Amino acid sequence: MLKTLLITGGAGFIGSHVVRLFVNKYPNYKIINLDALTYAGNLENLKDIDQKSNYVFEKGDITDENYIFDLFKKYDFDGVIHLAAESHVDRSISNPLEFLKTNIFGTVTLLNAAKEIWKDHFDNKRFYHVSTDEVYGSLDNGGFFTETTAYDPKSPYSASKAGSDHFVRAYANTYNLPIVISNCSNNYGPNQFPEKLIPLFINNIQNNKPLPVYGKGENIRDWLYVVDHARAIDDVYHKGKTGETYNIGGFNEWKNIDLIKVICKTMDEKLGREAGTSEKLITYVTDRAGHDLRYAIDATKITKDLGWKPSLQFEEGISKTIDWYLENEEWLKNVTSGAYQEYYDEMYDKRD
Ligand code: NAD
Ligand code: TYD
């Protein structure tokens, strides 16, 4: 049976991997990718699949209520996988309202359309919100986030994602909207915008630019290869229980400075530079305001209930990722020109 599925934010980093996986794996689905193409959205990410007959791109804004209602009427979606968001913590510190608007107002706009258009036939519908582990706040050196950890968001980004999670659950409780949520740890891999730690540092090493390490580099993140996240999203969408939350993580914690040293060493080897060359670029800069110390996911539930686990070891994932950025200089050049470059210079000047 033909299923019509809306994926929001499909031109972004994670969304593009999700769209690719669904378009290739489910030829009998019609995949509608809705994206506003902000600085973070790039259709080049999908050039290998955009001619497929089961793929449609719609340029539009999730905060535009009339447009979203019309889109739901036009396609009669069976399900929604909602990824569109403002996603970078540093940007949320400079511009919290943008995060409130896209992440909360935009999510509620989609929820409203789903509630209204689906209202007499919720059976077999599904609204899936893709969220972050940052909603749980910050851990010290012990313990893990589980699905029952109390929300304690600490940055404007995580507060906006926590707010959107709450709205999704409120629509399930109040209107019986069939929802599912997942909260994932830090992703890395091809097509990530070079403002996030890993692609930013790969790009800077390649261009012999300083590597701005916030604070002492002691913060810890749990890294997951983006394709493994896309596989988890496939599992949650198809096998997850309505109303449930699933935590997704890499079982792969790294202190920033240790991770950065691995990137430096691997880049030296791949670029044929003398050992230690890239590490010399490390520059300790003023810490991020309110910088969460540690994120770590306990992903037992999704492993036990849905049979998902990461497929790629970190060493292999980081090596593949670096290779991709080295082979896709043009992509990096395109996304780092223009508007982003101005933003980057502004942020970077502040860090010096
Ligand atoms: P991204 O910033 O790379 O992509 C976001 C996409 O959303 C872009 O294509 C952008 O154009 C689009 N978008 C933004 N505002 C929009 C609007 N108003 N209307 C329509 N489209 C809009 O983000 P990402 O890293 O791929 O993250 C995707 C989702 O996954 C987000 O919801 C994020 O909170 C969540 N998440 C990300 C991570 C991570 O490590 N990156 C981890 C866990 C969860
Ligand atoms: P980031 O990729 O922004 O993801 P998040 O803040 O959502 O975890 O940052 C990952 C870690 O790297 C985080 O502890 C902040 C740190 N960081 C730096 O030290 N320097 C940088 O230039 C950036 C972008 C991040």
Side-chain angles (χ1 to χ4, degrees):
M1 207 183 84
L2 177 76
K3 278 204 174 184
T4 307
L5 180 57
L6 172 65
I7 300 182
T8 71
F13 167 47
I14 301 169
S16 61
H17 289 276
V18 175
V19 167
R20 175 176 300 102
L21 187 152
F22 274 71
V23 165
N24 286 331
K25 187 169 170 183
Y26 303 107
N28 57 328
Y29 286 16
K30 184 168 179 179
I31 306 296
I32 289 89
N33 170 16
L34 163 65
D35 200 295
L37 300 182
T38 69
Y39 80 95
N42 186 351
L43 288 176
E44 244 183 277
N45 296 347
L46 291 165
K47 61 176 191 274
D48 56 322
I49 57 107
D50 64 8
Q51 297 307 314
K52 298 245 176 170
S53 59
N54 61 339
Y55 171 76
V56 179
F57 176 69
E58 290 274 359
K59 184 171 188 295
D61 189 327
I62 57 166
T63 67
D64 182 339
E65 293 172 84
N66 292 333
Y67 168 79
I68 292 296
F69 262 82
D70 288 346
L71 196 76
F72 270 72
K73 283 186 202 143
K74 179 174 169 190
Y75 286 106
D76 190 19
F77 299 117
D78 296 298
V80 177
I81 303 182
H82 172 37
L83 296 107
E86 286 294 333
S87 68
H88 189 42
V89 174
D90 290 330
R91 285 181 189 255
S92 81
I93 293 169
S94 347
N95 193 356
L97 271 177
E98 192 66 31
F99 282 67
L100 187 152
K101 189 176 172 213
T102 300
N103 298 358
I104 299 185
F105 190 90
T107 300
V108 178
T109 302
L110 289 165
L111 288 166
N112 265 342
K115 163 173 93 68
E116 286 304 313
I117 307 286
W118 292 348
K119 92 174 147 220
D120 296 321
H121 51 289
F122 276 159
D123 286 356
N124 302 318
K125 301 286 189 195
R126 169 151 282 191
F127 189 102
Y128 176 7
H129 186 223
V130 175
S131 191
T132 167
D133 63 350
E134 302 188 25
V135 298
Y136 298 123
S138 177
L139 293 163
D140 55 22
N141 285 320
F144 296 90
F145 297 134
T146 72
E147 288 79 2
T148 56
T149 301
Y151 274 36
D152 187 19
K154 290 176 182 299
S155 74
Y157 164 64
S158 54
S160 70
K161 291 297 289 188
S164 54
D165 283 359
H166 288 323
F167 267 103
V168 173
R169 292 198 181 94
Y171 271 62
N173 182 65
T174 311
Y175 310 109
N176 294 319
L177 191 74
I179 63 106
V180 66
I181 296 178
S182 61
N183 297 86
C184 187
S185 64
N186 287 61
N187 285 215
Y188 71 98
N191 300 110
Q192 187 169 31
F193 198 82
E195 62 185 351
K196 306 273 169 60
L197 179 74
I198 291 181
L200 175 70
F201 278 36
I202 293 171
N203 194 24
N204 284 11
I205 290 171
Q206 214 181 344
N207 294 298
N208 283 307
K209 283 165 102 177
L211 305 176
V213 179
Y214 296 166
K216 294 183 178 153
E218 285 178 349
N219 304 67
I220 294 169
R221 298 292 182 264
D222 168 6
W223 293 96
L224 178 68
Y225 191 65
V226 63
V227 176
D228 278 329
H229 188 191
R231 286 177 46 246
I233 289 173
D234 180 19
D235 285 342
V236 171
Y237 183 74
H238 287 102
K239 300 191 270 179
K241 219 169 125 195
T242 300
E244 292 285 311
T245 296
Y246 296 90
N247 279 356
I248 305 167
F251 301 101
N252 178 43
E253 287 182 59
W254 284 85
K255 202 181 261 191
N256 288 346
I257 192 65
D258 295 337
L259 173 70
I260 289 160
K261 286 182 179 165
V262 169
I263 297 173
C264 288
K265 185 168 172 285
T266 315
M267 290 286 286
D268 284 345
E269 286 162 9
K270 289 191 189 284
L271 294 171
R273 293 180 181 171
E274 196 184 325
T277 306
S278 300
E279 270 196 34
K280 291 196 190 111
L281 297 169
I282 290 177
T283 312
Y284 290 92
V285 298
T286 311
D287 208 352
R288 174 187 278 170
H291 196 172
D292 288 341
L293 178 65
R294 172 172 170 255
Y295 307 139
I297 281 278
D298 176 350
T300 309
K301 178 176 169 180
I302 187 171
T303 303
K304 239 175 80 193
D305 292 2
L306 308 186
W308 174 89
K309 61 177 186 337
S311 68
L312 212 65
Q313 291 298 310
F314 185 67
E315 289 66 23
E316 194 187 340
I318 200 75
S319 174
K320 270 175 86 148
T321 301
I322 292 173
D323 286 344
W324 187 87
Y325 286 96
L326 294 179
E327 285 158 16
N328 288 276
E329 269 185 87
E330 200 57 31
W331 182 92
L332 267 172
K333 249 185 233 141
N334 289 347
V335 297
T336 49
S337 62
Y340 169 68
Q341 195 58 52
E342 281 160 35
Y343 160 83
Y344 177 80
D345 291 343
E346 201 182 293
M347 295 295 293
Y348 196 75
D349 287 346
K350 275 193 218 140
R351 291 166 177 164
D352 271 339

